[in-house]
Amino acid sequence: MKKTFEITATDPESSARTGIIHTEHGSIQTPAFAPVASQGTVKALSHSMVQNLKAQLILVNAYHLYLRPGIEVIEKMGGLHSFVSWPGPILSDSGGFQIYSLTPLVKVKDDGVEFSSHLDGTRIFLTPENVIDIQMALGTDIMMLLDYFCPFPSSKKDTKQAAKITTEWAKRSKSHLQKKRFTRQLWGICQGGIHWEIRKQSIQELMAIDFDGYALGGLGIGESKTQFLDMVEQSDSILPKEKPRYLMGIGYMKDILQAVEKGIDFFDCVLPTRNARNGTLFTHTGRLVIKNKKYERDERPIDEECTCYTCKNFSRAYLRHLYERQEISSSILNTLHNLHFYLDIFRKIRHAIQSNSFRQLKYSILNKIEEGEQV
Amino acid sequence: MKKTFEITATDPESSARTGIIHTEHGSIQTPAFAPVASQGTVKALSHSMVQNLKAQLILVNAYHLYLRPGIEVIEKMGGLHSFVSWPGPILSDSGGFQIYSLTPLVKVKDDGVEFSSHLDGTRIFLTPENVIDIQMALGTDIMMLLDYFCPFPSSKKDTKQAAKITTEWAKRSKSHLQKKRFTRQLWGICQGGIHWEIRKQSIQELMAIDFDGYALGGLGIGESKTQFLDMVEQSDSILPKEKPRYLMGIGYMKDILQAVEKGIDFFDCVLPTRNARNGTLFTHTGRLVIKNKKYERDERPIDEECTCYTCKNFSRAYLRHLYERQEISSSILNTLHNLHFYLDIFRKIRHAIQSNSFRQLKYSILNKIEEGEQV
């Protein structure tokens, strides 16, 4: 079978590395950032805009698409790539996280999870097997298994139980997929909260099953930065070097840079796109809240160093006007900028690792960006 | 002074003609359709998308921009072209129509109109002179004078009075502009409702004052199609051939084609953009309401004859999904299509007039499009 991941450079000073994930719809240079397109569209952009930003893939949510328009519709349309007309790689999240965070009356049973649809209350029963079937019907390039998510804080006992069920489901997912002879990738999701012994065991059990990639789940949900970084660092020490590692849902630039340093290859987060719609813009010198009165007559672009369409053409004053008028073009232009900002930093990260200057880049970015500070 | 309008072809079978309106920011081929960008942005599109659609100009609303962000801000930013970063021609509507339709407590006095802001109730007093000053500060290429709008139906007496005041204000607008030695264009707005004698007098009085173009106001607001067409046809018989004629706010394709035939050169309407956001799409064979269940698995583009980005890339099924999910990209893709549809028909109209086949085009379009009918 074709190799799905290769490492192209390693940072001599840290665990940072660059690599290539190969998929049937193209390759993904890592470290990579996946723009979130839960419903099959990056919010507030057309695909052509996402392509112009040189996004390498999009991330969809299997749970949302399963509910609407439904798997049958997407199959009838020739699969998800064809239905949404996205030619590049697509990763589908299983929706495990959404089940636990969006839906009422969740009951985890041995063979799966039962819950009420967040839309109309219909009882739904998802199993490791049917979550694989759903993603196979979507035909996405990278599938995520159904995990049992544990909120923060959770007791050791609950965390252990969640990790145990996740392992059990992981085994069933893998064996179900093997029966189907489907060649797309399946990545595992490790649980364990902030309890290293539990997370360690979760990782080891998943490694024993053998997945194409390993995701760290259940982080960035309320634990301290120290706890978070400790988990990432310890995971790095036991995860197989030759497989891609995915830190789910983490989007603050500081966390991303530190995680790359600890060997993480893959990220996704709604932060750049959601914040854009709310008028919070990322710049090389911190955040800018476009509705602020002080930008009313500000002729400068959002970020003077930025080369995106928005920054090359429009002033803060105009963008503030569009935001205040609740114009849709405000969401478009702001999202273009924020996503460009993220993807551009990832390009710089990859370039820096390949030229042995990652730590230098990291400090130069972090010295200027202080999360929460305003321009 | 440079000629602001030239006729390039006339239809031997009707009053239809092609021409060029020259402005300081480029020329406009007529018959032309102006996409509405009241707040300085075409709703749901970026300027680059509007430019890719080859829109020749945008139409802004002086009243809205006067309220927010305010003229001082726009002047400080170097005028409207610079503030909104639109390099081509801009026409500013005076906002007369919005004053009468949006604002409470309108009092028309001899020297102007007093009303409450539709935003916060502040009393505002606009005069023919300050409406010119506002538009001069915006620096738009084509300014519209402040008219006195008369709703439908209105008595002859009220209509006559409105037309009389409009003429009075038109004189003052022109003389105010002349004092300023400002070289941009000022177009007059004729009133008179459906009373030909009154409208005729209004046109003649405005012609005596001499404007760069003549708009027919107060139509398309409830009168019958026969009354509407009668007014356009009779106006054609007395309006000067050498000046552009603008039929304000008319957007149904059937009305447009009939008006072009009666010598109208210029149109604007929110119909393509507003309908797009509401999921009503225009096609060569009628209207399509994208939310309809029957499109759930429809692999065809909106319009199989259409060459727009949306039709070249996306199925009705996907567009229905985006609409149902209330994704912003639904508004983007639908607006791209509807606006392309309009601008494309205007290109065909100009081409047909120049090749002596306008009537043929008109019938071929009308035979297929039956307003209100679904695909």
Side-chain angles (χ1 to χ4, degrees):
Chain A
M1 198 177 149
K2 205 177 127 192
K3 216 175 169 183
T4 53
F5 183 61
E6 55 177 311
I7 292 167
T8 51
T10 50
D11 179 23
E13 296 180 316
S14 76
S15 294
R17 71 259 188 91
T18 59
I20 305 173
I21 299 168
H22 297 285
T23 81
E24 300 204 11
H25 290 89
S27 53
I28 302 162
Q29 305 283 332
T30 64
F33 182 80
V36 176
S38 300
Q39 308 280 4
T41 177
V42 174
K43 288 196 189 298
L45 297 186
S46 70
H47 287 349
S48 65
M49 288 171 158
V50 181
Q51 287 162 331
N52 286 341
L53 291 172
K54 303 201 195 317
Q56 305 188 86
L57 81 159
I58 57 172
L59 181 151
V60 303
N61 192 289
Y63 164 68
H64 285 305
L65 295 170
Y66 164 76
L67 290 183
R68 300 179 305 191
I71 296 308
E72 227 181 285
V73 168
I74 295 173
E75 273 192 301
K76 164 71 176 61
M77 299 295 296
L80 191 68
H81 283 87
S82 162
F83 177 58
V84 308
S85 298
W86 175 264
I90 304 180
L91 180 146
S92 49
D93 192 1
S94 62
F97 181 75
Q98 282 66 33
I99 293 168
Y100 303 104
S101 60
L102 286 182
T103 71
L105 309 172
V106 180
K107 267 191 214 162
V108 177
K109 303 180 175 182
D110 274 353
D111 47 348
V113 54
E114 193 183 278
F115 57 95
S116 297
S117 155
H118 74 285
L119 299 173
D120 60 7
T122 313
R123 288 304 277 177
I124 299 173
F125 188 61
L126 287 181
T127 66
E129 289 83 3
N130 66 19
V131 164
I132 294 289
D133 288 337
I134 289 166
Q135 294 180 84
M136 281 173 61
L138 295 176
T140 47
D141 300 280
I142 301 173
M143 303 186 286
M144 303 303 298
L145 54 76
L146 181 68
D147 59 334
Y148 182 11
F149 173 80
C150 207
F152 180 86
S154 287
S155 70
K156 271 198 181 184
K157 191 183 156 215
D158 288 351
T159 308
K160 199 162 186 164
Q161 176 66 5
K164 186 172 166 248
I165 292 175
T166 297
T167 294
E168 202 48 50
W169 290 357
K171 276 181 204 160
R172 285 169 45 190
S173 304
K174 177 78 187 263
S175 103
H176 186 69
L177 184 65
Q178 279 172 329
K179 276 180 225 147
K180 303 278 177 168
R181 301 175 189 276
F182 189 74
T183 58
R184 302 283 165 84
Q185 299 185 37
L186 176 63
W187 290 14
I189 305 178
C190 311
Q191 289 293 341
I194 53 160
H195 307 288
W196 174 240
E197 281 313 312
I198 304 170
R199 188 171 286 276
K200 184 181 172 185
Q201 189 179 344
S202 174
I203 293 173
Q204 286 169 335
E205 288 170 358
L206 264 74
M207 281 167 58
I209 304 168
D210 188 24
F211 289 97
D212 300 302
Y214 295 91
L216 300 180
L219 292 175
I221 54 171
E223 77 281 3
S224 74
K225 291 287 177 191
T226 314
Q227 291 169 323
F228 162 77
L229 280 176
D230 185 46
M231 285 303 110
V232 177
E233 184 165 333
Q234 301 221 54
S235 301
D236 174 37
S237 69
I238 60 166
L239 280 166
K241 290 282 175 205
E242 70 280 8
K243 294 284 173 78
R245 295 111 169 248
Y246 171 15
L247 186 53
M248 301 185 88
I250 298 297
Y252 287 109
M253 200 43 81
K254 193 174 178 179
D255 297 340
I256 288 172
L257 288 163
Q258 288 176 322
V260 165
E261 194 170 28
K262 298 184 193 316
I264 298 292
D265 305 293
F266 196 95
F267 298 85
D268 80 287
C269 195
V270 295
L271 198 68
T273 44
R274 181 177 292 163
N275 272 8
R277 299 194 302 283
N278 296 334
T280 298
L281 303 169
F282 296 105
T283 83
H284 288 88
T285 51
R287 291 197 210 180
L288 185 155
V289 177
I290 199 65
K291 75 174 171 194
N292 284 349
K293 180 81 175 167
K294 65 176 168 178
Y295 302 125
E296 191 182 40
R297 296 157 192 235
D298 193 333
E299 298 184 40
R300 290 173 295 172
I302 299 167
D303 184 338
E304 282 171 312
E305 285 183 38
C306 182
T307 59
C308 81
Y309 171 72
T310 305
C311 286
K312 281 197 291 185
N313 289 281
F314 305 103
S315 65
R316 295 174 185 179
Y318 180 59
L319 295 169
R320 177 179 190 270
H321 167 68
L322 295 181
Y323 181 81
E324 289 288 300
R325 296 298 84 72
Q326 301 178 29
E327 286 286 348
I328 293 174
S329 52
S330 167
S331 292
I332 299 174
L333 296 176
N334 291 350
T335 303
L336 271 178
H337 169 77
N338 273 0
L339 207 47
H340 173 91
F341 182 80
Y342 267 66
L343 296 172
D344 201 49
I345 287 191
F346 272 80
R347 280 187 284 270
K348 285 177 181 152
I349 289 173
R350 293 194 294 271
H351 182 262
I353 295 170
Q354 283 168 345
S355 56
N356 285 344
S357 58
F358 174 69
R359 193 155 287 184
Q360 201 178 319
L361 175 76
K362 180 187 142 190
Y363 287 121
S364 97
I365 293 173
L366 292 186
N367 281 342
K368 286 192 233 166
I369 301 179
E370 280 299 314
E371 302 291 348
E373 198 194 318
Q374 300 218 346
V375 174
Chain B
M1 198 176 150
K2 204 177 129 192
K3 216 175 171 186
T4 53
F5 183 62
E6 54 177 311
I7 293 166
T8 51
T10 50
D11 178 23
E13 295 180 318
S14 75
S15 293
R17 71 258 188 93
T18 60
I20 306 172
I21 299 168
H22 297 284
T23 81
E24 300 205 8
H25 290 88
S27 53
I28 302 162
Q29 305 284 331
T30 64
F33 182 79
V36 176
S38 301
Q39 306 281 5
T41 178
V42 174
K43 287 194 190 299
L45 297 186
S46 70
H47 286 351
S48 64
M49 287 170 158
V50 182
Q51 286 162 333
N52 286 341
L53 290 172
K54 303 204 194 317
Q56 304 189 85
L57 80 159
I58 56 173
L59 181 151
V60 302
N61 191 290
Y63 164 68
H64 285 305
L65 295 170
Y66 163 77
L67 290 183
R68 301 177 307 189
I71 297 309
E72 229 180 282
V73 167
I74 295 173
E75 274 193 300
K76 163 72 176 59
M77 299 296 295
L80 191 68
H81 283 87
S82 163
F83 177 59
V84 307
S85 297
W86 176 262
I90 304 180
L91 180 146
S92 48
D93 191 2
S94 62
F97 182 73
Q98 282 66 32
I99 293 168
Y100 302 105
S101 59
L102 288 181
T103 70
L105 308 172
V106 181
K107 268 191 211 160
V108 177
K109 302 178 176 183
D110 274 354
D111 47 348
V113 53
E114 193 183 277
F115 57 96
S116 297
S117 156
H118 73 286
L119 300 173
D120 61 7
T122 314
R123 289 304 277 177
I124 298 172
F125 189 62
L126 287 181
T127 65
E129 289 82 5
N130 65 21
V131 164
I132 294 289
D133 288 337
I134 289 166
Q135 294 180 87
M136 282 173 61
L138 295 177
T140 47
D141 300 281
I142 301 172
M143 305 186 285
M144 303 303 297
L145 55 75
L146 181 68
D147 58 336
Y148 182 12
F149 172 80
C150 207
F152 180 85
S154 287
S155 69
K156 271 200 180 182
K157 192 184 153 212
D158 288 351
T159 309
K160 197 159 190 167
Q161 177 66 3
K164 186 172 166 247
I165 292 176
T166 298
T167 294
E168 200 49 50
W169 290 358
K171 277 182 201 160
R172 284 168 46 190
S173 303
K174 177 77 187 265
S175 102
H176 186 69
L177 184 66
Q178 279 172 328
K179 277 181 221 146
K180 303 277 176 169
R181 301 174 187 278
F182 189 76
T183 58
R184 304 282 165 85
Q185 299 185 36
L186 177 62
W187 290 14
I189 305 177
C190 311
Q191 290 293 342
I194 53 160
H195 307 288
W196 173 241
E197 281 313 312
I198 303 171
R199 188 170 285 276
K200 183 180 175 187
Q201 189 177 345
S202 174
I203 294 172
Q204 286 169 334
E205 287 170 356
L206 263 74
M207 282 168 60
I209 303 167
D210 189 24
F211 290 97
D212 300 300
Y214 296 91
L216 300 180
L219 291 174
I221 54 172
E223 75 282 2
S224 74
K225 292 286 179 191
T226 314
Q227 290 170 323
F228 161 77
L229 281 175
D230 185 48
M231 284 303 111
V232 177
E233 183 165 336
Q234 300 221 54
S235 300
D236 174 38
S237 69
I238 61 166
L239 280 166
K241 291 279 175 207
E242 71 280 8
K243 295 286 174 76
R245 294 111 169 251
Y246 171 15
L247 187 52
M248 302 184 88
I250 298 298
Y252 287 108
M253 200 45 80
K254 192 173 178 180
D255 297 341
I256 288 173
L257 287 162
Q258 289 177 320
V260 164
E261 193 170 31
K262 298 183 192 318
I264 298 293
D265 306 293
F266 196 95
F267 298 85
D268 81 288
C269 195
V270 296
L271 197 68
T273 45
R274 181 177 291 163
N275 273 8
R277 299 195 303 284
N278 297 334
T280 298
L281 302 169
F282 296 104
T283 83
H284 288 88
T285 51
R287 292 195 209 181
L288 185 155
V289 177
I290 198 67
K291 74 176 172 194
N292 284 349
K293 179 83 175 165
K294 66 175 168 177
Y295 302 126
E296 193 182 38
R297 295 156 192 235
D298 193 332
E299 299 185 39
R300 291 173 295 171
I302 300 168
D303 184 338
E304 282 172 311
E305 285 184 39
C306 182
T307 59
C308 81
Y309 171 72
T310 305
C311 287
K312 280 196 294 186
N313 289 280
F314 305 103
S315 64
R316 295 176 185 177
Y318 180 58
L319 295 170
R320 177 178 189 271
H321 167 69
L322 296 181
Y323 181 80
E324 290 288 299
R325 297 296 85 73
Q326 300 179 29
E327 287 286 349
I328 293 174
S329 53
S330 166
S331 293
I332 297 174
L333 296 176
N334 290 350
T335 303
L336 271 177
H337 169 77
N338 272 359
L339 208 47
H340 174 91
F341 182 81
Y342 266 66
L343 295 172
D344 201 49
I345 287 192
F346 272 80
R347 279 187 285 270
K348 285 176 182 151
I349 289 173
R350 292 193 296 269
H351 181 262
I353 295 170
Q354 283 168 347
S355 56
N356 286 344
S357 58
F358 173 69
R359 193 156 288 185
Q360 200 178 321
L361 175 76
K362 181 189 141 189
Y363 287 119
S364 97
I365 294 173
L366 291 187
N367 282 342
K368 287 192 233 166
I369 302 179
E370 278 301 312
E371 302 290 347
E373 198 193 318
Q374 300 217 348
V375 175

